[in-house]
């Protein structure tokens, strides 16, 4: 990362906006079209639509903490997004291996914050399973966050190091 490159990566926030729009549109569809807590097979034996809610974080961490966790996770998301946006100001625009994962995480985090503020919980609706083994339900914002985290790890591990 360069100190404030002339062509910084802030335009990559367009990807964040796209993630937020797609996430919120999909959740609006879910809230109007899917029944609660009812599996609707998409690919039999693997993928269901399943409307459920999460008041906690990943894997329902702190879901039953009494309500304070909503504001904690909202604040945490804003801190992380602010830090990632700061790093985007220090990243060259053409450095997509850095900018894209940051933008995905920002969009996903804000998409879930919108849910927490509007509903007091996050709307989840994608359920994967193999036989009787179910992965926790998730949404497009969660997928963007995970994709961004994988990108940071993968591009960090496989990045070509410049000689010192």
């Amino acid at each position: 990362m360069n100190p404030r490159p002339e062509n910084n990566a802030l335009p990559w926030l367009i990807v964040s906006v796209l993630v937020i729009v797609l996430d919120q549109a999909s959740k609006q569809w879910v809230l109007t079209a899917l029944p609660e807590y009812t599996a609707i097979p998409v690919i039999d034996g693997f993928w269901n639509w399943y409307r459920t809610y999460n008041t906690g974080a990943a894997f329902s961490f702190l879901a039953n903490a009494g309500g304070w966790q909503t504001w904690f996770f909202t604040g945490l998301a804003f801190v992380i997004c602010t830090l990632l946006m700061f790093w985007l100001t220090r990243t060259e625009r053409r450095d997509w291996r850095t900018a894209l994962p940051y933008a995905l995480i920002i969009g996903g985090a804000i998409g879930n914050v919108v849910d927490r503020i509007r509903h007091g919980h996050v709307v989840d609706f994608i359920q994967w399973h193999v036989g009787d083994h179910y992965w926790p339900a998730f949404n497009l914002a969660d997928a963007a966050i995970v994709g961004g985290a994988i990108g940071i790890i993968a591009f960090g591990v496989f990045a070509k190091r410049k000689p010192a």
Side-chain angles (χ1 to χ4, degrees), residues 6-124:
E6 187 173 317
N7 291 319
N8 67 41
L10 283 176
W12 280 90
L13 290 175
I14 293 168
V15 172
S16 303
V17 171
L18 182 61
V19 168
I20 295 164
V21 168
L22 291 173
D23 176 64
Q24 289 300 303
S26 66
K27 290 172 179 173
Q28 185 58 41
W29 169 74
V30 166
L31 291 171
T32 58
L34 293 181
E36 291 182 320
Y37 313 113
T38 304
I40 299 172
V42 177
I43 298 175
D44 202 28
F46 173 69
W47 174 13
N48 297 328
W49 294 133
Y50 185 81
R51 182 169 82 169
T52 187
Y53 313 102
N54 184 357
T55 57
F59 306 107
S60 296
F61 176 68
L62 294 177
N64 298 318
W68 64 267
Q69 73 277 20
T70 295
W71 301 110
F72 172 76
F73 291 127
T74 298
L76 183 62
F78 277 117
V79 168
I80 290 168
C81 289
T82 300
L83 182 61
L84 291 173
M85 283 189 272
F86 172 76
W87 288 342
L88 284 174
T89 69
R90 305 275 199 220
T91 301
E92 291 283 342
R93 188 173 302 161
R94 70 179 185 270
D95 183 3
W96 67 271
R97 287 180 177 94
T98 302
L100 179 60
Y102 290 179
L104 289 171
I105 292 170
I106 291 167
I110 293 173
N112 281 339
V113 162
V114 169
D115 278 18
R116 290 181 198 289
I117 292 171
R118 284 181 65 200
H119 308 294
H121 56 255
V122 174
V123 176
D124 289 327

